[in-house]
């Protein structure tokens, strides 16, 4: 497959995963606006911005503010994270870039996938923060998540399982790994800054990963940060756990036919295996979990660079 | 919907109605169906057609001051119907014309007999900006210089005439297919009753044509479609066609030339490319030969082409045959190469390079359409009757300064076809762009992209200037 098309599919996977994850986060966050204490609302916004490695816009986030100010600030922050065109991390930006990658590679995806994604994009494009805030912002975010879930299902059902599929999935899983690591580290940092771990924050992480029921079955209804981490990082049965995402990265890499840059390709596969092993084997016994997560985060960025080196930006000498 | 207020004009051919207001024979069913539909029902059909374009992302790109804008081509849901016999005449005329044009290109880049014999002035051909000296002595498979052609036809009181031969990178075929898909599903029973000929196999015919161009008779060549990129206004069509023919959609940066062969960068390494359906203009194809500032092209591509290692469709240099001045000589080409009379007429054309034509043009600006020979897409055009004195004066200055750069033609009373405008049927001027393919032989799908000047009274059908489209139903004999 054309390297640029593979790259386009890879980025489509990444951007759509990014848009979906942020929508899930925002859905949880706007739900807290209904009845949760200001500390939790503040903490939620902080966590989102920290996970994006981004400063909130001027005027947002004051822990000492009253209800009215908190709600007004939340409106500003939600707009920044949802519709702001100049924010490269906003839902709109990620969605638009994912859809643009799909537009440029629509000869490589099924027509059903394109139509599904394009329809979802057109719906988002017509809205503004004022539209969604008036009625039910959580419903808006839930609908986008549902659209993107539908897209994933349509892709699953209709896309040919060739290299295009592998690169799409690769992008999705690498993005998921990076987002999960960033979010978990942001939560750990928040706990440290507050000198206290709040169950509500960790519970919302479980909801974000659709892991609340699984947690209850594996442990109990009492939410403990270490147990949440065990589940979200090391449980191979939980869809979206770090462990499972990394396994998926390794299996997608293994499925891609041999590329021209054999050294770069071998290094990439070794890195993926090492990361899987780190999370599967080292995680349960590690004492400094934050450090291990940082290591996974750093190495996942190398994964990204490795994909490019092996299949896109390889040296063409002697490959013809 | 009734046609009680539908305006007919004795001087303009109406595609649906005879001058006395009765529907033409082949439009009876369409007329009857439209009369049975309420305005609401028709509006619903129109909305469905428009929505299907929007949902499918069938767009073209327009550039504003700051950002590119993806737009939906306005499609009128009322089809234009062409009887089989009429189509047959068009098909024969297009085949004849394409044959002569290919012979002309083979000749002017070869022995140039037509120039030696004085049929066409040598300086006109060699002075044409699209004449490519670099193609002298190059032979192309099956003499197929023009493999994809999108001829603009208009109908006037004198029948069909060729307005322009688009022989470089003609676009619009994707709209022909998208129109059909959208309109067919909205007027299902009528479509079935009419026995309309299919157009959806265009991709197969294109693929067959491109395969026939492969070097050394390679039966399974690697084909790529070369696009200028996502910012090109026809990008949708590029991706649509790449999908239709199962080709990779490449940009110049994906290709490289080594040892006279063209390769594309794939995830498995460099892969040789045998045939390139290029949607990039000549000027930008190869910076080492044409424009050196081109970022869209591939250094060395022309060398690979001249060596016969890669086929380019269309071949570089075809623009000389659709130059607006050379156009005037196409009937002579047909007689010269084929010994036949043209089946399709040309529009009378005045070449301002001739002193008598220049004088006539300047004296009659208010009645003529003046075109720059090097422009397309309706740009640089003066439509005399719709122009202001100041515009005519400015145009006259330009023509006097560079007479060879202009031609003029009479303002044509383009035929009109009913369109659904604000919930009622109104006549709008239309043209017809059928697509012909040529490899070993000529292939033409029985259909066309019908462009519509949606603004009342306008004759400009270009999508970039307020034009829209219509489905064309070519009927079985």
């Amino acid at each position: 497959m054309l390297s640029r098309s593979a790259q386009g599919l890879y980025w489509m996977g990444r951007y759509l995963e990014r848009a979906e994850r942020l929508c899930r986060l925002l859905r949880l966050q706007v739900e807290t606006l209904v009845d949760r204490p200001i500390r939790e609302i503040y903490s939620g916004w902080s966590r989102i911005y920290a996970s994006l490695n981004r400063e909130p816009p001027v005027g947002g986030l004051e822990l000492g503010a009253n209800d009215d100010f908190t709600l007004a600030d939340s409106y500003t922050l939600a707009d920044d994270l949802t519709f702001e065109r100049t924010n490269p991390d906003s839902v709109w930006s990620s969605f638009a870039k994912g859809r643009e990658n799909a537009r440029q590679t629509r000869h490589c995806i099924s027509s059903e996938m394109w139509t599904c994604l394009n329809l979802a994009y057109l719906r988002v494009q017509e809205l503004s923060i004022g539209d969604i805030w008036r009625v039910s912002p959580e419903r808006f975010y839930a609908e986008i998540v549902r659209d993107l879930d539908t897209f994933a299902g349509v892709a699953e059902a209709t896309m040919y399982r060739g290299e295009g599929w592998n690169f799409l999935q690769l992008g999705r899983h690498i993005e998921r790994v990076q987002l999960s690591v960033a979010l978990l580290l942001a939560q750990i940092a928040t706990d440290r800054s507050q000198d206290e771990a709040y169950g509500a924050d960790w519970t919302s992480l479980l909801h974000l990963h659709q892991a609340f029921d699984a947690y209850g079955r594996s442990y109990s209804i009492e939410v403990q940060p270490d147990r949440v981490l065990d589940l979200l990082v090391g449980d191979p049965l939980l869809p979206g756990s770090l462990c499972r995402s990394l396994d998926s990265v390794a299996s997608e890499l293994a499925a891609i036919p041999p590329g021209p840059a054999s050294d770069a390709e071998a290094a990439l596969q070794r890195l993926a295996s090492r990361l899987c092993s780190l999370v599967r084997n080292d995680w349960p016994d590690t004492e400094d979990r934050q450090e291990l997560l940082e290591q996974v985060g750093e190495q996942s960025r190398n994964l990204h660079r490795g994909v490019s080196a092996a299949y896109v930006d390889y040296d063409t000498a002697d490959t013809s | 919907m009734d046609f009680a207020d539908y305006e007919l004009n004795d001087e303009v051919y109406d595609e649906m109605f005879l001058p006395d207001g009765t529907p033409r024979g082949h439009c009876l069913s369409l007329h009857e169906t439209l009369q049975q539909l309420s305005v609401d029902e028709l509006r619903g059909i129109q909305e469905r057609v428009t929505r299907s374009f929007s949902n499918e992302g069938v767009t073209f790109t327009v550039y504003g001051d700051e950002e590119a804008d993806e737009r939906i081509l306005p499609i009128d849901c009322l089809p234009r119907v062409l009887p089989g016999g009429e189509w047959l005449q068009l098909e024969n005329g297009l085949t004849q014309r394409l044959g002569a044009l290919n012979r002309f290109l083979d000749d002017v880049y070869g022995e140039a007999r037509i120039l030696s014999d004085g049929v066409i002035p040598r300086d006109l051909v060699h002075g044409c900006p699209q004449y490519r000296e670099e193609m002298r002595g190059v032979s192309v498979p099956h003499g197929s210089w023009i493999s994809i052609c999108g001829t603009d036809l208009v109908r006037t009181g004198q029948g069909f005439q060729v307005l322009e031969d688009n022989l470089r990178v003609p676009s619009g075929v994707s709209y022909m297919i998208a129109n059909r898909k959208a309109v067919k599903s909205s007027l299902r029973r009528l479509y079935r009753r009419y026995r309309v000929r299919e157009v959806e196999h265009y991709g197969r015919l294109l693929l067959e044509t491109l395969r026939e161009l492969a070097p050394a008779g390679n039966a399974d060549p690697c084909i790529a479609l070369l696009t200028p990129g996502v910012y090109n206004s026809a990008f949708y069509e590029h991706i649509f066609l790449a999908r239709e023919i199962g080709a990779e959609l490449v940009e110049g940066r994906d290709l490289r030339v080594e040892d006279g062969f063209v390769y594309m960068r794939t995830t498995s390494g460099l892969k040789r490319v045998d045939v390139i359906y290029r949607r990039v203009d000549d000027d930008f194809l190869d910076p080492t030969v044409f424009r050196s500032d081109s970022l869209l092209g591939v250094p060395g591509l022309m060398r690979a082409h001249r060596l016969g290692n890669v086929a380019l469709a269309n071949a570089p240099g075809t623009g000389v045959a659709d130059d607006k001045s050379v156009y005037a000589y196409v009937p002579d080409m047909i007689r010269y190469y084929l010994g036949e009379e043209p089946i399709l007429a040309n529009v009378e054309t005045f070449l301002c390079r001739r002193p008598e034509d220049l004088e006539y043009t300047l004296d009659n600006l208010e009645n003529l359409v003046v075109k720059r020979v090097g422009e397309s897409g309706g740009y640089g055009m003066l439509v005399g009757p719709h122009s202001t004195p100041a515009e005519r004066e400015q145009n006259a200055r330009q023509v006097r300064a560079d007479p060879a750069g202009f031609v003029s033609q009479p303002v044509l009373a383009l035929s009109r076809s009913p369109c659904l405008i604000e919930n009622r049927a109104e006549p709008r001027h239309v043209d017809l762009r059928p697509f012909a393919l040529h490899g070993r032989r000529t292939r033409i799908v029985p259909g066309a992209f019908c462009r519509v000047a949606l603004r009342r009274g306008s004759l400009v059908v270009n999508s970039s200037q307020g034009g829209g489209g219509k489905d064309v139903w070519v009927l079985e004999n």
Side-chain angles (χ1 to χ4, degrees), chain B residues 110-292:
Chain B
E111 296 175 30
R113 285 188 302 116
I114 198 166
L115 308 184
S116 307
D117 290 344
V119 178
I120 304 178
R122 189 180 295 272
D123 65 320
L124 187 151
V125 171
H126 287 178
C128 168
Q130 301 300 326
Y131 174 76
R132 304 291 180 198
E133 183 62 30
E134 298 82 356
M135 292 305 288
R136 283 292 295 274
V138 175
S139 77
V140 299
H142 319 297
S144 178
W145 291 74
I146 307 152
S147 307
I148 300 108
C149 164
T151 310
D152 287 341
L153 300 168
V154 293
R155 191 199 314 247
T156 65
Q158 284 77 51
F160 279 105
Q161 291 173 279
V162 176
L163 188 62
E164 267 182 32
D165 299 288
N166 294 297
L167 309 176
R168 296 173 234 180
V169 284
S171 61
V173 74
S174 56
Y175 295 121
M176 172 181 83
I177 295 168
N179 284 352
R180 174 59 55 85
K181 191 176 167 192
V183 173
K184 180 166 79 170
S185 63
S186 297
L187 292 168
R188 304 159 67 92
R189 267 178 290 181
L190 182 67
Y191 186 84
R192 175 129 200 121
R193 201 186 321 158
Y194 252 124
R195 297 178 61 204
V196 182
R197 294 180 67 187
E198 295 291 326
V199 295
E200 285 88 346
H201 60 299
Y202 176 82
R204 183 169 53 75
L205 298 187
L206 175 62
L207 181 60
E208 284 171 12
T209 301
L210 295 172
R211 279 188 172 151
E212 288 172 1
L213 304 178
N218 181 350
D220 188 22
C222 174
I223 299 173
L225 195 153
L226 177 62
T227 172
V230 69
Y231 298 109
N232 186 270
S233 61
F235 182 75
Y236 162 75
E237 176 154 305
H238 303 165
I239 207 135
F240 170 84
L241 290 173
R243 184 191 189 94
E244 285 284 295
I245 62 176
E248 282 294 354
L249 183 70
V250 298
E251 296 179 17
R253 59 190 162 130
D254 300 316
L255 300 178
R256 58 185 298 151
V257 178
E258 284 185 9
D259 301 327
F261 290 92
V262 181
Y263 297 91
M264 63 180 173
R265 180 185 279 268
T266 75
T267 52
S268 309
L270 295 185
K271 184 179 180 191
R272 192 173 143 185
V273 179
D274 304 299
V275 180
I276 298 176
Y277 175 18
R278 52 94 175 203
R279 298 292 297 253
V280 171
D281 287 331
D282 285 0
D283 278 342
F284 301 98
L285 267 183
D286 181 346
T288 64
V289 175
F290 302 124
R291 279 181 57 163
S292 58

